[in-house]
Amino acid sequence: MKRNIIKLFCCLGLSVLFWGCKKDFVDESKPYNVLNPDIFPESMAQVDYFLNTPYANIHSVELFGFTGLGRFMYNIDHTGDLVWLGTNEWNELQMLRPNSSNTYSGAQWRGLYRGVQQARTFIDQIVPNFKQKKGNTLSAADTLALRYKLGEAYYLRAWHYYFLMNLYAQEVVVKGNGDNTNPGIILFTSDVKIGSREDEMRPRSTVKECWDYIITDLKTAMALLKDPTTGAKKTWAGVDKGRIDYYAAETLLGRTLMYEERWSEARDAFLDVVQSSGKSLMSFPNYYNMWNGNPQYANTEINNTEALHQITIVRSGDNAMAGPSTASAVSLIFTPYYDNGAPGGATPGYGNMYMHDRNLGRFGFPQNYYPVIKNLGTPGRTVETSYLDSCLHMKNGKRYGVDPDPRLWVCGYQPWVDSVMNSTSRVPILPYGNGAESEYQQNAKQGGDIIKHAWSLRKFNLYDVQASQNPRMHGADFYFTRLPEVYLNLAECYWKLSGNDNDAQALEYINKVHRRAWELSDGTSQTGIDYNVIASGTKITKANLHPNSTDPGFSDQLALNALYYETWAETFGECKWWFNVRRWGLGLNEAKVYEKSRAGSITWGSDNQYALPIFQAELDRNARCVQNKGY
């Protein structure tokens, strides 16, 4: 929604939502003080208040405002590893062993269903009540505006359900668009009586029923986001950029159809987005600077040419952990350590998490490569110039045959090589401190099973600006959907439809993403760089083929599959990888790749681990809700 509106309504309390309205906007004769449709809403501005709430909910504290990124998603998909080990619930997520009382897992359930409720209230009550109140006096312009707002709400409801399915459904794939009767999630359909606790105690619908419901919502959103007179597909510009448009809904529809293996329909949706949305890939330098809220690149971020669903975050003086805010506090969890002259360095946030070491090998970085440091553990420590020179050559040279994937430095800050502003000078980022088992912190060379590198996570960190900035006021936008992902989704559709590992159309879309990473033209083939096969029995990507130290016979599937690898590398740290892990059945592969964390061994005993446990509070409240298998 508009950047100048959303700030006022991030808070979920009705007292904030309805400031300035009549005191009798609720009917106290009805249970739970439900809204009185005879009084509210009275204007389009009041209608907007309600649409702002599901938008704002996306960066609520439970979701992309704080908990949902570092504390939750970065643990289950092993984007990060833990420095702080004092919270068992966090350790459980890192080891893929949460239980039904895990509050970090439960926070996602609570936050996502709140968004469902907000969107549903708008769809089933606010718009119908307003239309009935205005009757024939509603102008043509307001009628069209309401139509678009309703389309946005249908998308937002589907978006929240999409996340719930990927996290909590017992299974997610419906083979061949047949049936899957395993429990999905609870659907609060329009027949549920608001305010009736008994009626709200619904059982979990089946996996197939849930995806069909989400597909229907998205098709409805697309129909509403068209001008009924001209058929024009709605897009937004100016201060409205960031609102959901036709192509955002069509992209999520395509993704949802993939779960039912409706490959032809999904392909057609993605093709329309590619051909008609007007989106284009950003240059690599703009892509590199997309994630950090740097004022120097603010215009590029606002006018992002590849974003289809951009979650607008506006840096402000608000503490995003303490109430209504346009900002986000996600980077508070994984703020980098930087050189302030003290042996361990300093970090302005919690400093709880850093990049899991195995991710370096997946990007093609030599995992045993570590600097020669003089005077370790002292304020006067220095790094050998030869190490810095060789690393800078890897980062900037982009020699395809020998250097790591350049996206490594989009996703991570390299200790000693990357730097941040500290007051008036640039200082190096240090390996993660406060007990991380790196050679740097131990002040001695460590064995191969000890974490060696401790890179900082870069996406959504603000530190190419100023190290002292308050991470509770984070200001870098999130991108739930970008054009490169559409290319990769489209490639998968072509691959599945042809069944051919050499499918030319699939390879071309994979290579469009691949070429951008290496700063090459996406319009022409690149001999020796382009993939010429999607999946192979031999290594074809940058990923380390045999990363598991206890099972040298294990092969990482991302080393053998260009689609898998490019999806992982392109979207690293964007909270999307776990959804692909589930849909592609890569759980055992991921446990083998990451193998261990500072919290303990990462094991995969059963495919029941794909589904998180239903939060115990929901089971206690709703006797008709069944728990997932294995919990």
Side-chain angles (χ1 to χ4, degrees), residues 13-34:
L14 291 178
S15 61
V16 172
L17 288 172
F18 304 129
W19 59 271
C21 302
K22 296 179 181 179
K23 291 182 179 179
D24 54 353
F25 66 84
V26 293
D27 184 346
E28 294 180 355
S29 69
K30 296 180 179 180
Y32 310 113
N33 293 337
V34 297

Side-chain angles (χ1 to χ4, degrees), residues 74-107:
Y74 279 12
N75 274 283
I76 65 173
D77 69 5
H78 301 108
T79 294
D81 198 353
L82 296 175
V83 174
W84 170 253
L85 299 176
T87 305
N88 287 334
E89 292 174 309
W90 209 348
N91 299 340
E92 291 166 2
L93 288 172
Q94 180 72 208
M95 295 184 290
L96 299 177
R97 294 201 291 269
N99 57 49
S100 62
S101 62
N102 189 295
T103 58
Y104 292 151
S105 172

Side-chain angles (χ1 to χ4, degrees), residues 19 24 42 53 65 74 201 206 230 292 297-298 308 316 325 349 396 400 472-473 483 524 534 607:
W19 59 271
D24 54 353
E42 294 181 324
T53 54
Y74 279 12
M201 292 183 188
T206 69
T230 66
N292 304 97
Y297 300 99
L308 285 144
S316 66
S325 175
N396 299 321
Y400 186 77
R472 292 174 175 83
M473 303 172 187
L483 184 63
T524 58
I534 300 166
D607 283 355

Side-chain angles (χ1 to χ4, degrees), residues 267-304:
R267 175 202 59 198
D268 293 345
F270 294 135
L271 269 176
D272 187 51
V273 173
V274 169
Q275 295 170 354
S276 306
S277 68
K279 300 297 181 181
S280 61
L281 293 185
M282 306 277 275
S283 68
F284 185 84
N286 284 337
Y287 167 69
Y288 178 84
N289 290 300
M290 190 186 295
W291 314 100
N292 304 97
N294 190 330
Q296 181 179 351
Y297 300 99
N299 189 63
T300 299
E301 182 179 82
I302 293 168
N303 297 297
N304 191 301

Side-chain angles (χ1 to χ4, degrees), residues 3 177 310 611:
R3 291 175 181 253
N177 193 26
Q310 184 169 345

Side-chain angles (χ1 to χ4, degrees), residues 82-83 85 337 354 432-438 441-442 451 598:
L82 296 175
V83 174
L85 299 176
Y337 281 80
Y354 58 99
Y432 243 68
N434 288 353
E437 297 162 351
S438 67
Q441 292 297 333
Q442 295 295 322
I451 295 164
R598 294 192 73 248

Side-chain angles (χ1 to χ4, degrees), residues 352-363:
N352 290 154
M353 174 174 280
Y354 58 99
M355 182 185 284
H356 195 292
D357 256 21
R358 291 291 170 84
N359 290 315
L360 300 181
R362 267 196 164 170
F363 278 112

